[in-house]
């Protein structure tokens, strides 16, 4: 039986690329991210895209107290996917998951539901290949990768390092090392 291929695009939003928390590395990763999406579409992969989503009270939240930079407030320009990602995803069935924290438990739930819809109830993740890309490697990418590895211990969990960017290059590299130590494949 063929594995189920899933691509998770983590927070490919304006504020993490060219906006309030943007980095040069995120901007530089855009062509690789777009190519990864195009490849996934050719393979008929299941695509999920997360959107970091905050309210106007962000600075009063625990996260806002530690990271006092307003970002990805719902329905603002910074909350939207960057134009290149919007174009790459246009016309392809994508499940968007809004999340108000670093990692999303809803991703696990949606993956399970999707496998049941396909007649392939994948309890421990056997026959799943889940690839994560996006921003920020050291916060949201790592959080979701760890959640998914815990939820699907037998799945092949991959992080494509060329399609990620961290808050800093050093934190990006550190996150990749931590994920590798948790048996997440880094390519």
């Amino acid at each position: 039986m063929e594995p189920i291929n899933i691509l998770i695009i983590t927070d490919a939003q304006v504020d993490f690329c060219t906006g309030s928390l943007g980095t040069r590395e995120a901007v530089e990763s855009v062509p690789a991210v777009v190519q990864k999406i195009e490849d996934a579409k050719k393979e008929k992969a299941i695509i999920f895209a997360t959107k970091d989503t905050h309210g106007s009270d962000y600075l009063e939240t625990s996260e806002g107290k530690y990271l006092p930079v307003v970002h990805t407030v719902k329905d603002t320009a910074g909350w939207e996917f960057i134009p290149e990602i919007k174009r790459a995803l246009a016309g392809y069935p994508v499940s968007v998951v809004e999340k108000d924290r670093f990692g999303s438990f809803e991703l696990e739930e949606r993956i399970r539901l999707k496998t049941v819809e396909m007649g392939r109830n994948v309890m421990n993740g056997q026959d799943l290949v889940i690839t994560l890309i996006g921003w920020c490697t050291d916060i949201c990418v790592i959080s979701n990768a760890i959640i998914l590895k815990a939820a699907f211990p037998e799945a092949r969990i991959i992080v494509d390092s060329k399609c990620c960017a961290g808050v800093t290059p050093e934190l990006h590299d550190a996150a990749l090392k931590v994920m590798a130590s948790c048996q997440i494949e880094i390519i």
Side-chain angles (χ1 to χ4, degrees), residues 48-123:
F48 292 92
T50 66
K51 278 186 128 173
D52 195 51
T53 303
H54 299 295
S56 58
D57 65 341
Y58 172 74
L59 292 175
E60 281 76 54
T61 68
S62 178
E63 179 184 329
K65 290 177 180 151
Y66 283 95
L67 178 62
V69 178
V70 176
H71 63 283
T72 62
V73 173
K74 187 174 175 107
D75 297 327
T76 64
W79 177 74
E80 297 295 337
F81 292 127
I82 64 169
E84 295 89 338
I85 300 301
K86 281 184 183 179
R87 282 192 297 275
L89 295 175
Y92 194 83
V94 177
S95 295
V96 176
V97 178
E98 293 180 17
K99 59 183 191 57
D100 63 353
R101 60 201 69 191
F102 302 143
S104 172
F105 295 109
E106 187 177 343
L107 271 174
E108 171 198 355
E109 182 180 319
R110 290 224 196 153
I111 290 168
R112 287 190 194 283
L113 289 172
K114 188 65 174 174
T115 63
V116 169
E117 280 176 25
M118 299 170 70
R120 305 252 320 257
N121 191 1
V122 186
M123 292 308 296

Side-chain angles (χ1 to χ4, degrees), residues 1-53:
M1 191 174 292
E2 289 291 312
I4 299 171
N5 289 308
I6 298 171
L7 177 65
I8 297 174
I9 306 158
T10 308
D11 302 349
Q13 296 163 270
V14 170
D15 275 347
F16 292 118
C17 188
T18 57
S20 60
L21 292 173
T23 65
R24 178 177 52 83
E25 293 79 18
V27 172
E28 290 172 355
S29 74
V30 170
V33 170
V34 169
Q35 185 60 57
K36 193 73 165 186
I37 293 168
E38 294 300 332
D39 293 345
K41 288 167 35 179
K42 286 178 191 162
E43 296 170 4
K44 298 187 178 359
I46 298 165
I47 299 180
F48 292 92
T50 66
K51 278 186 128 173
D52 195 51
T53 303

